[in-house]
Amino acid sequence: MLKTKQVRPGLWAAALIAMAGTATLAWPAWAGYQAPPESLMKVLKAPPPPVPSVDPSGQRVLLTTMQTYPSIERVARPYLKLAGVRLEPQNRSRHDTRAGYGIPACVAEFTLVDIASGKDIKVPLPAGACPGPARWSPDGTRFVFENVSPTSVELWVGDAASGQVHQVPGVQLNPIFGSAVQWLEGSKSLLVKRVPPKQGPAPADDAPGPDVQQSLGGSGESSTYEARDLLTSEHDEALFAYYGTSQLAVVDVASNAVRDVGAPAIYDGVNAAPDGRHVLTYAIQAPYSHAVTYQRFANDVAVLDLGSNQSKLLARLPLAERVPIHGVPEGPRDYDWRATDPATLVWAEALDRGDWKVEVPHRDRVLMLKAPFTGKPTEIARTRQRFEGLAWTAQPGVAFLFENDDNRHWRQTHVVDVDKPGQPGRLLWDLSSDEQYEDPGMFVYRTLPNGAYVVRQEGNTVFLRGQGASPKGDRPFLDRLDLASFKTERLFRSDADAYEQFLGFTATPQKFLTWHQSVIDPPNAFVRTLGAPVAAADKGEAAFASTSTALTHLADPTPEVRQIKKRLVTYKRADGVDLSFTLYTPPGYTEGQRLPAILYAYPADFANSAQAGQVSGSQQTFTRLQPYRLMLLAGYAIIDNASFPIVGDPKTAYDTYLEQLTADAKAAVDKAVELGVVDRNRIGVTGHSHGGLMTANLIAHTDLFKAGVATSGSYNKTFTPFGFQNERRSLWQAQDVYLKASPYFYADKIKLPLLLVHGEDDANPGTEPFQSRKLYQAIRGNGGTTRLVMLPHEPHWYTALESNQQLVYEMLSWFDTYVKNAPAKGAAGNSK
């Protein structure tokens, strides 16, 4: 029998029992979800802007519009919880995203746009479809996507010229660990993970027995995981092995012929080499742990030769139950193919036992091994800090090696020749990983005919794209970097009154695509043509002129939102740290009018105050309203994304967490009041996850706010005893820090109204649902004003339309009662 969850009677419903044999759930009319006013609901349900993707040949753009919110019927489907994976057994689909934060969204619409002509084609999707995002073939002539049907996860292939799609018959994909579909041999075939044919029924549910775990001494930390998602019995282990097992197969896209390769196994990672013949595989091995999720299970790493159907074992990675917080497992890790060789593997191995606390001259070594993988690997580099990967160019002697110092929040990039390991690389970038203003950006990649990705290179130059952070907000850019001098020239920079990002190069020289939007203009694709150099261009501005032509003409789905105004506000914390927030004012706002307001923030950790004060984001983006921003349509101002830095040495920064949190909040409130927009006596605060913890602490320790709404927070840090956020010390090493950061231990101080909202099925480490229940009980027991709303079937992020409308309803009711309509403390003059 399938283990299912029963919904407790309360705000929404009586009981619901879902059995394994049920094909669909008929969600009862008595569900009882509340809804905010229709004016808010209309905006909540509006479709999001599409996501653009340029095909590798630069001839077409695929616009992917995702579903806004699935129904609670879909979110409530029965599923299994197996070692960090949530699986719907009826069709073998994932019930959560790879990150585990919500139900995977369905594609609502695919639209193909021809760049040369501007002609667009709506891709016809199968009835009742729930497609996933599409993947371009390396030559841009086809695209492939997974489709979740009631009984299976199907494989579909589309033709880029006509937009027609077809299902590959006889293939039931197994996406439980990802990598279910990838292009192989360039664009001729696909490598898939499918449900093994004739697998037989799932293991029967035997009589229940105890869940036994033991530790036989030895030291070692382990992250805190949501126990309900871990394996707890032999039956769980049997289900994990059954549903996790895949058969690898090669699909010919022209004929739809399917050829099984290799033996069935619990394949986690699968990665084809550029030669289309060799496949890197990670196969999970028993015994399975009841203490960690599948990512830490034992693995056999091997290379499967698709020609001979033989597998070469490379490494046996043991169960990694005790990996240091912010550390890495010992032994080989991060295997990947060299993009410029037919079949050459590169990987890293820790020299510090994977523990950043160990002092060593080099933390990692990087190794390389060519096919047939029988010789001794070549050591191509040693890194002083943690190896973060390689980016290849089509030029064999040029690659970029990344390393990161998590203790200092520092990163370096070197230009290396992996075929000359004795030669030191040239240092390209050396800067804080928190640095935004001087961030050089990311490399622009291109796809080789064999499907490998390399940094786009023309002669001795490569291209960079970046957000272009500045004290006045982000202005995305496209740069060209000379590999000889390391000097850059700016080809394009977004205008200050818009937000325009580089998308990709077209098939026509000197032309590239951008994604343009402004406060009033919805996102649309533009074709830009690079022109002549600009004489004496200002620093940071484009050194070349360019002209643009609109390629797409997407309409505004919520024109009423355009009446909302926003502006960037900068200010300082009492200790001089620079801060900022975006101030939103509602439709019809008149300058000088003082409004009730809501502050939203998410604290971030910084090693240096210089980076902590840098402005991020843009005021020129097309305004869309997340649930808390919908309060704007009810007459509130929003103090949005207020800077809440926790600054200091990452090893000890949380010693002053509460003091810095309070200083951040006071500075933001004082500035918002000083502007003449916000009524000091009518301010609420809200935040999600780590922001939920922030909210509860501010309600407990300050009188800056009238009420708070904390969603999916973690309020007792003693239940995450081996670290939280950037805190690396354990509870037993820094007990005062854990207690001081936990509002649960100050529940007797929480007298201001606090609404707690949480998903019943939150599996995010540290934010288990009991965190909100226990804080509610503590506040209630101490006579505080509080309300607890548990959203059935929801994970860490709320996905169902009904859940989100309930959240907006609760938030609006709470803030209207305790903020907007709260009794004034004194005369109007005291509000300033």
Side-chain angles (χ1 to χ4, degrees), residues 128-251:
C130 181
R135 302 170 183 84
W136 284 109
S137 64
D139 64 4
T141 61
R142 295 184 176 96
F143 56 94
V144 62
F145 60 91
E146 302 169 22
N147 180 55
V148 179
S149 77
T151 58
S152 68
V153 180
E154 304 164 347
L155 175 63
W156 285 70
V157 177
D159 178 76
S162 67
Q164 294 302 305
V165 297
H166 71 274
Q167 181 184 355
V168 177
V171 175
Q172 181 180 359
L173 298 174
N174 188 354
I176 182 171
F177 302 120
S179 305
V181 182
Q182 58 187 280
W183 288 97
L184 186 69
E185 298 180 289
S187 304
K188 297 179 181 179
S189 57
L190 295 163
L191 177 68
V192 303
K193 291 197 294 188
R194 67 168 178 156
V195 175
K198 302 178 182 179
Q199 188 181 31
D205 191 356
D206 299 325
D211 175 19
V212 178
Q213 302 182 48
Q214 68 177 357
S215 178
L216 302 178
S219 61
E221 301 171 345
S222 179
S223 298
T224 304
Y225 289 92
E226 215 297 76
R228 294 179 305 160
D229 276 17
L230 300 180
L231 302 179
T232 62
S233 66
E234 289 186 3
H235 182 243
D236 278 357
E237 293 182 19
L239 289 173
F240 176 82
Y242 175 82
Y243 287 108
T245 298
S246 297
Q247 171 66 60
L248 298 183
V250 176
V251 177

Side-chain angles (χ1 to χ4, degrees), residues 694-707:
M694 170 205 74
T695 298
N697 271 317
L698 291 174
I699 292 296
H701 297 288
T702 78
D703 59 359
L704 295 167
F705 305 98
K706 296 293 290 186

Side-chain angles (χ1 to χ4, degrees), residues 612-663:
Q614 291 182 345
V615 174
S616 62
S618 171
Q619 315 311 305
Q620 306 305 326
T621 54
F622 186 64
T623 301
R624 297 191 67 241
L625 302 184
Q626 289 91 345
Y628 71 91
R629 286 186 189 162
L630 285 169
M631 302 302 108
L632 284 157
L633 301 180
Y636 289 85
I638 301 291
I639 306 166
D640 200 25
N641 288 320
S643 301
F644 266 62
I646 306 302
V647 185
D649 186 331
K651 300 174 185 176
T652 57
Y654 273 76
D655 288 353
T656 58
Y657 162 74
L658 202 55
E659 292 82 358
Q660 293 196 61
L661 205 67
T662 301

Side-chain angles (χ1 to χ4, degrees), residues 370-431:
K370 296 177 179 289
F373 316 106
T374 54
K376 183 178 179 180
T378 301
E379 183 177 305
I380 59 175
R382 291 200 171 199
T383 60
R384 295 187 181 276
Q385 300 304 326
R386 193 67 69 210
F387 172 72
E388 294 285 329
L390 282 157
W392 307 94
T393 70
Q395 183 177 331
V398 179
F400 302 95
L401 186 148
F402 309 105
E403 56 182 286
N404 181 57
D405 182 352
D406 206 27
N407 285 324
R408 290 197 304 141
H409 288 207
W410 206 263
R411 60 189 173 107
Q412 287 187 334
T413 302
H414 290 83
V415 182
V416 298
D417 183 345
V418 298
D419 295 319
K420 298 177 180 178
Q423 294 185 359
R426 293 190 296 151
L427 180 62
L428 174 60
W429 297 316
D430 183 26
L431 71 165

